[in-house]
Amino acid sequence: MINTQQIDHFEKGYAAAARGTLVDERLVLWYFVAALGYLFVSMTGGLLMALQLVQWNVLDGNEYLSPGRWRMVHTNAIAYGFIANCFLGALHWAVPRLTLRPVASRALSYFIFAAWQVVVLSTAAGLVLGQAQGIEWGETPTWIDPLALAGLALVALNFMVPIARTKGPLYVTLWYFMAAFVWTFLTYAMGNFMPEYYIAGTSGGAVAGLFIHDLVGLFVTPLAWGLMYYFVPILLKKPIWSHGLSLVGFWGLAFFYPLNGIHHFLYTPIPMFLQYGAVVATIAVELVVTTVIINFFATIWGSTNKLITNLPIRWFYTGMVLYFVTCAQCAMQVTLTFQKLIHFTDWVVGHAHLVMFGVFSVWFFGMMTYLFPRLLRTPWYSRTLCEWHYWLSIGGIVVMFIDLGLVGMFQGYYWASLRPWDESVVGSHPFWVVRLFAGLAIIGGQLVFAYNLIQTWRQAPRRETATLRPAAAGA
């Protein structure tokens, strides 16, 4: 058990923030608004792809709006536009409070904000113009990669300075953050430079497989879990159940996750010892995730009414449950027996949507639901609309996940029976229609959220022009 020193430390951070010396709230707000903009761009790309699958695409024939290109915009906008901007906004909120020190440079923070938007928008333009690389999640044009890597180095510098100056033991959130700054830089360099310039053939495929999974496991996962370890104790007003168990989760992630990526290429010419290693590591990650889930559910034990009354907590714990589901699914689907059935099917698409939207995006919605009233200094315009946002988002992603899982198994059986390819397409069509409407429910939820945010913003008091603003009490 952690003693109350961690909570006292947080409260000191709030007091310092209240004096207007730590957190640049305007920048946090800008990052979140930019992230929501990219979310809608990503959903537009996903909608075009879903319409193409059911042959309802009214934009067919335009190469710049082709589903193949917008599918890449869909994935890159969610990873580098929505998720990265959410992280940067949340880091500007959390790191100063945890370290009791501002970021290294406020001017650098604003430069990073502007530069990152240039990187993301240039990536989207390059993809639409047909300049993509042939690496999953690494389709960014080659001329963007050095700029993105330089931006990641500046982000690490800006946040590592206050962390390095912190005296005494570091809370587990900062462990996750420090590791993510290093891992993200190395992962991006590995996936966007090595297969393109140095490694070809099956070796390049192995590196690409590592990159696909390490982007999720060594960039998104450590930052996201670090933020959960920050926000959940604050909202529950109680310390995390076991600091020791939280470190088990951290070191388990560090040891096992980098080996997972090869499981994307089972039954390929990649050496079997690497494939077996990836299978074992993937199953081991599920055991590590179980310790993390136990820690958080032990923390909320005795306060489960918060799941009903506290909407951000509900977002967080819903994401945790879905994270456990997706890791359990991953541990099952990497077995060689099951891989024969679901490889290259829509099962994998459903798995990716569950983890990227059903887990990480859901956590960000919880953070935004909690932080927007504090950033705007006014309560939400409508609690009912917040509930609609939750239920449309969760309902849509759960239906999509189940639907794609089912069609994936059907597709696998179609292909295993050696029936004509056309039959698998015809058999998949009803499931793709369901997927489309599940996606429309998700989009509807985000439209509700955007409307609620606009109305909340309109009723907010006028903000001062100063860069730094005091934090809301108890934030």
Side-chain angles (χ1 to χ4, degrees):
M1 290 285 292
I2 299 176
N3 57 37
T4 56
Q5 290 180 349
Q6 297 288 356
I7 299 296
D8 292 340
H9 182 79
F10 293 161
E11 290 175 349
K12 290 179 182 178
Y14 304 152
R19 295 192 297 271
T21 59
L22 284 182
V23 177
D24 190 334
E25 292 191 8
R26 181 175 65 180
L27 187 58
V28 175
L29 186 62
W30 285 8
Y31 271 118
F32 283 164
V33 171
L36 289 174
Y38 293 120
L39 176 62
F40 280 98
V41 172
S42 177
M43 290 189 299
T44 300
L47 181 61
L48 282 174
M49 194 67 199
L51 290 170
Q52 177 72 12
L53 289 174
V54 296
Q55 300 176 9
W56 295 349
N57 185 8
V58 297
L59 302 174
D60 191 26
N62 187 324
E63 66 173 307
Y64 300 111
L65 296 175
S66 64
R69 295 187 184 184
W70 273 86
R71 188 263 179 192
M72 293 184 287
V73 173
H74 172 62
T75 55
N76 281 268
I78 204 71
Y80 304 119
F82 176 67
I83 288 178
N85 274 289
C86 283
F87 275 140
L88 289 168
L91 286 169
H92 276 90
W93 180 272
V95 170
R97 284 172 164 78
L98 287 167
T99 62
L100 305 184
R101 289 169 174 79
V103 295
S105 169
R106 196 183 314 162
L108 180 58
S109 293
Y110 277 89
F111 174 78
I112 291 171
F113 172 81
W116 193 252
Q117 310 321 311
V118 171
V119 166
V120 176
L121 292 173
S122 299
T123 297
L127 295 177
V128 170
L129 293 173
Q131 299 180 9
Q133 298 184 68
I135 302 293
E136 181 77 9
W137 290 101
E139 298 95 346
T140 48
T142 54
W143 52 276
I144 289 294
D145 292 333
L147 301 177
L149 205 59
L152 293 174
L154 292 176
V155 169
L157 173 66
N158 208 25
F159 290 113
M160 285 294 286
V161 168
I163 295 174
R165 291 174 177 172
T166 302
K167 297 179 181 179
L170 296 179
Y171 184 52
V172 65
T173 291
L174 295 178
W175 287 54
Y176 276 105
F177 288 174
M178 289 189 295
F181 295 144
V182 176
W183 291 339
T184 302
F185 183 88
L186 296 177
T187 297
Y188 192 91
M190 174 184 69
N192 288 272
F193 289 94
M194 291 179 65
E196 180 73 21
Y197 301 110
Y198 303 109
I199 302 175
T202 56
S203 298
V207 172
L210 289 174
F211 170 70
I212 292 168
H213 228 281
D214 287 354
L215 189 69
V216 176
L218 302 182
F219 159 49
V220 182
T221 299
L223 290 176
W225 276 117
L227 289 168
M228 289 300 98
Y229 278 109
Y230 172 76
F231 281 108
V232 169
I234 290 173
L235 288 170
L236 293 178
K237 294 181 171 59
K238 61 199 308 190
I240 200 72
W241 182 64
S242 170
H243 188 66
L245 201 58
S246 69
L247 294 180
V248 171
F250 171 81
W251 287 110
L253 176 75
F255 185 78
F256 290 113
Y257 215 112
L259 307 175
N260 280 10
I262 303 299
H263 73 221
H264 285 266
F265 295 97
L266 302 182
Y267 294 107
T268 68
I270 293 172
M272 284 307 299
F273 77 90
L274 291 175
Q275 298 184 40
Y276 290 139
V279 171
V280 173
T282 304
I283 296 172
V285 165
E286 171 62 14
L287 301 178
V288 172
V289 168
T290 301
T291 68
V292 177
I293 299 297
I294 290 172
N295 205 6
F296 275 96
F297 274 84
T299 301
I300 201 174
W301 192 259
S303 305
T304 51
N305 63 306
K306 297 284 189 180
L307 295 172
I308 299 175
T309 61
N310 191 312
L311 192 52
I313 283 291
R314 195 194 310 164
W315 279 110
F316 293 157
Y317 275 82
T318 300
M320 291 177 199
V321 171
L322 295 179
Y323 191 82
F324 182 82
V325 170
T326 193
C327 287
Q329 182 196 30
C330 199
M332 178 175 63
Q333 72 190 26
V334 298
T335 59
L336 292 172
T337 302
F338 200 71
Q339 188 73 197
K340 290 181 181 179
L341 177 66
I342 57 89
H343 200 61
F344 294 132
T345 71
D346 280 349
W347 171 286
V348 182
V349 180
H351 173 73
H353 278 78
L354 185 67
V355 69
M356 297 302 283
F357 185 87
V359 179
F360 300 122
S361 297
V362 159
W363 284 348
F364 290 131
F365 295 145
M367 295 176 208
M368 291 181 180
T369 301
Y370 173 68
L371 289 179
F372 269 131
R374 286 157 177 77
L375 296 170
L376 299 175
R377 289 172 180 74
T378 187
W380 279 105
Y381 168 75
S382 171
R383 164 78 185 203
T384 300
L385 292 179
C386 287
E387 291 284 350
W388 271 102
H389 178 217
Y390 173 85
W391 289 109
L392 284 171
S393 299
I394 299 303
I397 191 59
V398 169
V399 169
M400 182 181 291
F401 170 68
I402 295 173
D403 175 69
L404 291 174
L406 289 174
V407 70
M409 289 188 287
F410 276 112
Q411 289 167 344
Y413 283 119
Y414 271 120
W415 302 342
S417 68
L418 301 181
R419 301 176 70 85
W421 173 267
D422 293 356
E423 292 190 20
S424 69
V425 175
V426 173
S428 300
H429 192 272
F431 294 95
W432 288 338
V433 172
V434 173
R435 170 194 180 172
L436 171 62
F437 283 98
L440 289 173
I442 292 173
I443 294 172
Q446 310 328 304
L447 290 173
V448 168
F449 183 58
Y451 174 78
N452 200 14
L453 176 59
I454 291 170
Q455 294 300 110
T456 302
W457 205 317
R458 292 179 63 183
Q459 71 182 18
R462 184 176 180 181
R463 296 179 63 86
E464 297 178 7
T465 57
T467 300
L468 288 178
R469 293 281 297 164

